[in-house]
Amino acid sequence: MAGTLFIVTAPSGAGKTTLVRGLLARDPRVQLSISYTTRDPRPGEQNGREYNFVDVATFRDLRDRGEFLEWAEVHGNYYATSRVWLKQQVDAGRDTLLEIDWQGAQQVRKHFPDAVGVFILPPSMDELAARLVGRGTDSPEVISRRLLGARGEMRHVAEFDYVIINDEIDVALDDLVAVVQAGRLRYAKQHQRHPEYFDFLEQD
Ligand code: 5GP
């Protein structure tokens, strides 16, 4: 029985990281895919936990050897999902969540059309700006770049199956937990889980 693949996409500042952490704590059946990136680790981030941090030459080498299912350049850095690891996990029946941008989501959907896409929106553009400033991790220059990018990213919301508006974090987390559970209960997944029952029902 194949695991369910979840793609979670959001502009930075929408609260994606907090929501995904909350989901993992609430639902231990979900695991996170660790991406490759060429950006520098932020304080508190560990190699192999948040990301596999690599330099540009290593990234290009891995990419050219076909190691990536998808890759994208986001805010001037490269990001990618490992092809072999992800396929192994899904084939082994593990529900796996990808936190990737809309470009990556489009590419993953081509290989895994059953993937459940979830887009997280901030309550408004004003609130997004306030959160990015309040976070205090990025320079004003980086923040204005991210805000500009956010609008472009949010235009891709229609490509996703579910939309969560993260106004209150507790409510949004309940929403995300519900979406993950709903994804597991889709007809195709239940059919895979209970083949004899469904075959019996579909007999003449
Ligand atoms: P951050 O640098 O803030 O951790 O992530 C920046 C952006 O890169 C986010 O939109 C995040 O979803 C995206 N991202 C992280 N990992 C991947 C990946 O493996 N592939 C793609 N396409 N985007 C990613």
Side-chain angles (χ1 to χ4, degrees):
M1 154 75 201
T4 305
L5 194 61
F6 297 95
I7 305 172
V8 177
T9 300
S12 43
K16 180 180 58 162
T17 307
T18 311
L19 281 171
V20 168
R21 270 200 207 126
L23 170 72
L24 297 178
R26 287 258 295 264
D27 188 339
R29 282 186 290 165
V30 183
Q31 66 166 350
L32 198 58
S33 164
I34 313 294
S35 298
Y36 287 88
T37 185
T38 59
R39 83 152 161 73
D40 293 333
R42 297 198 183 111
E45 288 183 335
Q46 268 176 32
N47 190 30
R49 192 179 65 186
E50 280 76 15
Y51 285 103
N52 297 308
F53 294 97
V54 292
D55 60 26
V56 174
T58 307
F59 188 96
R60 292 205 171 118
D61 185 46
L62 290 166
R63 182 192 62 192
D64 296 346
R65 287 197 273 129
E67 165 59 21
F68 298 152
L69 178 67
E70 61 79 30
W71 68 276
E73 188 178 345
V74 186
H75 313 310
N77 296 301
Y78 292 129
Y79 296 84
T81 305
S82 169
R83 173 193 302 279
V84 175
W85 182 86
L86 185 62
K87 183 154 185 338
Q88 279 169 355
Q89 298 303 308
V90 173
D91 286 351
R94 302 209 180 89
D95 294 343
T96 306
L97 187 147
L98 306 179
E99 267 190 74
I100 59 178
D101 84 317
W102 64 270
Q103 305 166 83
Q106 282 186 347
Q107 294 175 66
V108 171
R109 248 182 246 118
K110 285 189 196 141
H111 300 276
F112 295 90
D114 289 353
V116 179
V118 187
F119 200 96
I120 299 170
L121 283 176
S124 66
M125 290 307 288
D126 284 351
E127 178 61 24
L128 181 64
R131 285 182 190 177
L132 287 179
V133 172
R135 189 157 82 170
T137 50
D138 296 313
S139 64
E141 189 186 67
V142 170
I143 289 173
S144 51
R145 190 149 36 100
R146 283 183 183 248
L147 271 176
L148 211 68
R151 179 92 205 286
E153 179 140 39
M154 285 153 73
R155 284 180 187 278
H156 291 270
V157 63
E159 296 160 22
F160 291 75
D161 302 302
Y162 296 95
V163 182
I164 295 175
I165 298 179
N166 184 12
D167 190 0
E168 282 187 48
I169 187 79
D170 293 347
V171 177
L173 178 55
D174 284 347
D175 289 345
L176 185 58
V177 169
V179 161
V180 165
Q181 185 58 8
R184 291 191 181 112
L185 298 179
R186 278 174 316 161
Y187 168 79
K189 289 286 160 194
Q190 290 288 54
H191 196 308
Q192 283 179 3
R193 249 176 236 121
H194 308 283
E196 286 166 16
Y197 193 1
F198 280 68
D199 287 348
F200 164 75
L201 292 175
E202 284 158 14
Q203 275 167 18
D204 289 332

